[in-house]
Amino acid sequence: PTIAAIAGAPLPRNRIDGVSLRELVEGRSSARPRRSLYYYYGRQLCAVRRDNWKLVLPHTSRTYVGQERGRDGFPGPTTDVKVGLALYDLDTDVGETRDTAADHPNIVRDLQALAETAREDLGDTLTDRKGTGVREAGRIAPKG
């Protein structure tokens, strides 16, 4: 999207994960090209973020904790772990160690709505969603 914006070229018809960083490239430090992020692992939506708030969605993850370390550039074994719903304020908790979901139910609700937007648009195998969005003339439009 950045190169397309600079060149004045249209974006591709199929949705891509990207936004134009043109204002930042041009030196506008106050530019905020993206307020929201979707954290996908493969086709699974695992978390969403808006500004400083990150909502981790229930999913299965893998961990190396308690496992033998990898060697010679190869990873060691992993264990599957269940991850529950959790909210983190990344301004005060970069390491995501303090779940604040109980203290901020409105933010949880808003970020769950953002997650639903991502699922409708891009899909999510955790909820068996295919996604319906394609890019047309710089905006998202339903297929069909």
Side-chain angles (χ1 to χ4, degrees):
T2 304
I3 301 300
I6 291 169
L11 292 172
R13 178 172 168 75
N14 291 330
R15 175 122 169 111
I16 60 172
D17 181 20
V19 296
S20 174
L21 302 177
R22 180 179 181 172
E23 291 180 339
L24 292 174
V25 170
E26 293 172 343
R28 296 184 220 165
S29 60
S30 63
R32 297 189 68 198
R34 182 182 295 214
R35 289 187 59 213
S36 300
L37 294 170
Y38 306 140
Y39 294 78
Y40 275 88
Y41 183 75
R43 298 280 303 146
Q44 296 181 358
L45 181 61
C46 298
V48 294
R49 178 177 173 178
R50 177 171 289 144
D51 299 326
N52 59 302
W53 295 103
K54 180 178 178 183
L55 182 69
V56 176
L57 303 165
H59 66 282
T60 300
S61 186
R62 293 183 292 186
T63 183
Y64 291 107
V65 174
Q67 299 293 325
E68 184 177 329
R69 296 169 64 173
R71 291 190 189 153
D72 300 323
F74 293 99
T78 60
T79 302
D80 287 346
V81 294
K82 296 286 185 188
V83 177
L85 187 79
L87 178 69
Y88 300 102
D89 180 350
L90 300 181
D91 279 350
T92 61
D93 183 19
V94 173
E96 299 176 20
T97 60
R98 292 180 307 277
D99 177 10
T100 63
D103 299 330
H104 302 283
N106 291 341
I107 294 171
V108 170
R109 186 184 65 245
D110 290 348
L111 291 177
Q112 285 174 321
L114 181 63
E116 283 304 305
T117 299
R119 289 172 172 142
E120 285 296 319
D121 184 25
L122 301 171
D124 176 22
T125 57
L126 288 172
T127 58
D128 294 324
R129 306 284 259 298
K130 301 289 185 204
T132 60
V134 296
R135 188 171 290 281
E136 268 183 18
R139 66 179 183 83
I140 300 300
K143 288 182 181 175

